[in-house]
Amino acid sequence: MTSRFDPFQSDRRHFLGLAAASGAALLSRPLWAGPEPTAPVRQDQAAKTPALINPSFGIPIEDLQAIMAIAMSRGATFADLYFERTRSVVLMLEDDKISRASTESDLGMGVRVVKGDAVGYAFSEILDLKAMKQAAATAAAIADGKSDAKPMTVQVGKLPKYYDIDYRYAAVDLAKKKALVQDINSRCKQKDPRIVKTTVAYSDSDREVLILTSEGVLTHDQQPMVRVIANCVAEQKGRRETGLYNIASRHGFDLFDAKAIARLCDEAVRRTVGMFDAVTPKGGEMPVVLGAGPSGILLHEAIGHGMEADFNRKNTSIYATKIGKPVAEKFVTIVDDATLPDARGSIHVDDEGTLGQRTVLVDGGSMASYLHDRISAHHYGLKSTGSGRRESFRFVPMPRMRSTYMQPGPHHRSEIIASVKKGIYCESFSNGQVNIGGGDYTFFLKTGYLIEDGKLGRPIKDVNLIGNGPDTLTKISMVANDLVIDEGGWTCGKNGQSVPVSQGMPTVLVKSLTVGGAA
Amino acid sequence: MSATTYHSKALALADQLGDLLKKAGVQHTLVSARLARNVETQVRAGKVEKLQEAQSAGVTVHLYVDGRYAVHSTSDLRPNELQSFLRDAVALTRMLDVDPDRSLPDAALVAKSTDALSIFDPNYGALTTDTRKQLALQVEAACHHDKRVISATTNFQDQDSDWALVGSNGTRAAQRATLYTLSADVTAADGDKRPEDGWQVNSRTLAGLGKAEAIGLEATERALSRVGAKKDASGSVTLIVENRAAGRLLSYWLQATLGSNLQQKRSFLEGMTGKPVASPQLTLRDVPGLIGSPGARSFDREGLAARDLTLIDQGVLKNYLLDWYYAKKLKLSPTTGAFSTLTTLGGNGNLAKLVSGIDHGILVTAFNGGNSNSLTGDFSLGFQGRRIEKGALTVPLTEMNLTGNHLAFWHTLKAVGADPYTHGSLQLPSLVFEGVAVAGT
């Protein structure tokens, strides 16, 4: 896994109650053997013709059945068909002009065939029956037996609602998007005369997916996403500094109200001009206070990836033997959650048809659950936690995080800072990375402060922090009651696939971490 | 630069799009078309764990309409969908701001030959599923020669790609390439920890991958060398960055050579051409015709014909990476917006020789996270490696940080090895730096 030069990428894997719809009921048992369907079905929806529910893919139900029959024809234990259409737009403003835009239209379907722990996969960018059947035959080659599958009855899965699935960014007038970008540009420039360059990037996408499992459950979802980044360069007495802020969400375009625009511009400018006073701290081990919000990157790297069950199934994670064991103080509870309203990391359904849900990773200081996809859940004899995600139809799903955060604790921010004689306070980050087996992780601090005698001192910038996951968990000695879910657009990379995630944190004290810095 | 002629399906697709755009009245266009076949065979515990096979196709059109510019991509190549895609693309482009610097490169600079580099293996079609499995299995078997190995996952990936560019400025270029990759990721037992490492080999031909067993043995040796890793003391040390890791270190420096960062005042290398930016030990060149490299090419993504480019000559900055647009804005001559294969000149000895000459120091074998500020040059990178004592590698190290500023750091380069890492497009040798700050305990 390689890191990408993306300021928002939480790179490398190695970068709540189950929200089922009430009153949902399964109409009939799937005809193929396998685990219980995980997307419950509402009777009135199941009565519809599925092809009519999804006019944009327009695949007749009998064609879906024919493709699935080929996928299952060599004795697979499970298979899924994954259809995706994504339309995205990017507007880039530089030097006061929106002089570059890009659009992307992506359409295709993937066929995954599973036999035990083995996976066969093929995809087609052409949605004609011949090409899709060929993809199914290619994927089916992973299995080598005979099918005992019977014809499948297709049922339609009902989804919860964590964001508005009827929203389409494509329906928002491009002039409005342009006006937003131009407004942010002029506000940043007006805010401080030292700002000499501003780059504003707006991106949105409408992603539509249709998933059919060999259990016969058909799920259709829309996954809108938007992000705006403001990046500034300031000059002062011949010196320059740069900084940025960004907001990302699955909420509609009205997310960008006056308050959000003001916050975006204020923070982008503050994080730029504030750097003129910033110093590089002296390197070495020291107490580290993680500010509320983006510090959730620590959880993502130090524990989240290690709890993805594919690594544990293969016995390659440092957490492979830790379930049920105490790993942190009792006031430490860490969750990975698909259900936060409008969060970038939220999903109604994962990319293998399991409902999005809240998973407790560490419960009161003890390891509680891994993040499972169907394959690892089958391996452990458990239910999937709805964590099977993929970048697009060109990839197989695997266990991934959604929104990872720590629950509020018993302490107060002020008492945490006051308890540190000499250390650092972390405010914002750009990226992180972890070695799954060794447990060593890093995260890169963009802005923060020195702490001296219990008080915030000079600003600091651009240093790497490094620690070991299980070791850091034992060193979390205080957790405040001020949980913030970061609104930034984090992207997680693992095995060459990128997925959008969120993260959050209350103010936390880690007794000791290695901070990169001057000798 | 040797070349072959072939019938490019990508070129035919790009021509088709170019014709459609001409009919739509768009005068200035650059069309990029790509076709590819990718196969991945993954093995673990003596069995095939994943088989993935795919054919893909896509087009990207760069439109210059009435002084406005936009780029549009699609994988939906059905005729009716393409028509509406292009209609929407033109309409959106017309809504953007006019930018007089947006234009296609001058005809004199662009590639006009579809003779391709010899980077396609004519035997690719004969590769069988069984050969793929056997190679991956051989690598995996070699990984398990030591009982401390908990898990080994091996991958055989092969790709046949066809890429073409057709532009209204006369650009007409195509390139077909094969690339084989054989790799192993190994995890070893170490108390509660499970240190991991791996090894990967790329080649344009199957035979060029070398012996499969050697890849497994190398990956395992590297994973086992991580057992017992710990932090070392903070301080100022002599540091060797192994060839495999040196590319990543350089990649952060390279950000400051990009035209976009220079023009947007986000580069610490602004105004530095002709001035020393590194020790005289360092000469850095981009060599697009190095056909064994994954980065080999005869044209770049804007259609600029490939040519050798010296970035640093004996420590002195000679050129930036400038694409057509930002070169125009900066009023400089374009070079290329993205490097192909970076190499160094000179150098002495392999890693063992470099290590043997150091009494006390640290070898960096891999970087772990970290980042760099392209404006100030400040960087801070996590790393793992080995302590060097009396010319020999000793204690494995982890949880360490290397922090510095590029403007000063590259002047501390004291020696360059003669052991370039040949499996990537950053083909750097091992590098020796003196007096650099590391943080540990």
Side-chain angles (χ1 to χ4, degrees), chain B residues 191-335:
Chain B
D192 268 357
K193 293 187 179 180
R194 289 163 175 74
E196 73 229 82
D197 209 331
W199 189 246
Q200 175 176 311
V201 171
N202 295 318
S203 175
R204 296 291 185 191
T205 62
L206 196 58
L209 291 173
K211 286 190 176 173
E213 290 82 359
I215 297 165
L217 293 173
E218 178 75 28
T220 301
E221 187 183 324
R222 284 175 176 271
L224 293 174
S225 77
R226 307 300 315 139
V227 171
K230 60 180 190 181
K231 288 187 207 185
D232 218 344
S234 304
S236 178
V237 298
T238 297
L239 199 77
I240 301 182
V241 179
E242 189 186 4
N243 58 4
R244 182 179 68 157
R248 177 151 168 190
L249 181 61
L250 182 75
S251 71
Y252 294 110
W253 179 87
L254 286 167
Q255 294 298 317
T257 70
L258 296 175
S260 53
N261 281 331
L262 287 157
Q263 195 274 328
Q264 287 296 306
K265 299 181 184 287
R266 283 197 293 262
S267 168
F268 61 84
L269 291 177
E270 187 182 319
M272 295 293 282
T273 47
K275 296 179 183 168
V277 294
S279 92
Q281 301 283 336
L282 188 64
T283 291
L284 190 64
R285 297 187 313 149
D286 189 31
V287 188
L290 201 60
I291 60 172
S293 163
R297 67 185 187 205
S298 53
F299 55 93
D300 73 8
R301 62 192 176 199
E302 289 186 297
L304 296 173
R307 55 191 171 121
D308 289 2
L309 179 73
T310 299
L311 290 175
I312 296 176
D313 183 17
Q314 295 182 67
V316 176
L317 183 68
K318 291 293 183 184
N319 281 292
Y320 298 122
L321 293 173
L322 300 174
D323 66 11
W324 176 256
Y325 174 68
Y326 285 107
K328 219 171 156 186
K329 287 186 97 168
L330 289 162
K331 301 190 181 357
L332 296 171
S333 297
T335 53

Side-chain angles (χ1 to χ4, degrees), chain A residues 194-236:
Chain A
R194 291 172 290 178
I195 303 293
V196 292
K197 290 277 187 186
T198 305
T199 305
V200 183
Y202 170 92
S203 60
D204 68 40
S205 66
D206 296 310
R207 185 186 198 204
E208 178 184 11
V209 298
L210 182 76
I211 306 158
L212 176 66
T213 69
S214 54
E215 295 145 355
V217 178
L218 184 71
T219 313
H220 178 231
D221 193 22
Q222 294 279 353
Q223 300 169 347
M225 186 77 80
V226 69
R227 180 163 75 162
V228 177
I229 309 164
N231 190 326
C232 301
V233 176
E235 265 180 17
Q236 176 181 292

Side-chain angles (χ1 to χ4, degrees), chain B residues 112-271:
Chain B
K112 299 186 195 74
S113 166
T114 55
D115 285 353
L117 285 174
S118 294
I119 51 177
F120 175 71
D121 177 5
N123 298 318
Y124 177 74
L127 182 63
T128 64
T129 302
D130 192 52
T131 301
R132 292 177 172 105
K133 284 183 194 172
Q134 289 310 317
L135 281 169
L137 284 165
Q138 285 169 27
V139 178
E140 202 235 352
C143 293
H144 287 288
H145 71 276
D146 191 296
K147 285 185 178 167
R148 290 172 293 172
V149 172
I150 297 173
S151 172
T153 301
T154 62
N155 253 296
F156 181 85
Q157 290 177 274
D158 50 271
Q159 181 187 64
D160 171 5
S161 65
D162 182 8
W163 173 39
L165 281 181
V166 171
S168 57
N169 58 346
T171 305
R172 191 165 177 77
Q175 174 167 302
R176 191 173 183 193
T178 43
L179 189 65
Y180 303 88
T181 304
L182 195 49
S183 65
D185 290 302
V186 175
T187 302
D190 182 17
D192 268 357
K193 293 187 179 180
R194 289 163 175 74
E196 73 229 82
D197 209 331
W199 189 246
Q200 175 176 311
V201 171
N202 295 318
S203 175
R204 296 291 185 191
T205 62
L206 196 58
L209 291 173
K211 286 190 176 173
E213 290 82 359
I215 297 165
L217 293 173
E218 178 75 28
T220 301
E221 187 183 324
R222 284 175 176 271
L224 293 174
S225 77
R226 307 300 315 139
V227 171
K230 60 180 190 181
K231 288 187 207 185
D232 218 344
S234 304
S236 178
V237 298
T238 297
L239 199 77
I240 301 182
V241 179
E242 189 186 4
N243 58 4
R244 182 179 68 157
R248 177 151 168 190
L249 181 61
L250 182 75
S251 71
Y252 294 110
W253 179 87
L254 286 167
Q255 294 298 317
T257 70
L258 296 175
S260 53
N261 281 331
L262 287 157
Q263 195 274 328
Q264 287 296 306
K265 299 181 184 287
R266 283 197 293 262
S267 168
F268 61 84
L269 291 177
E270 187 182 319

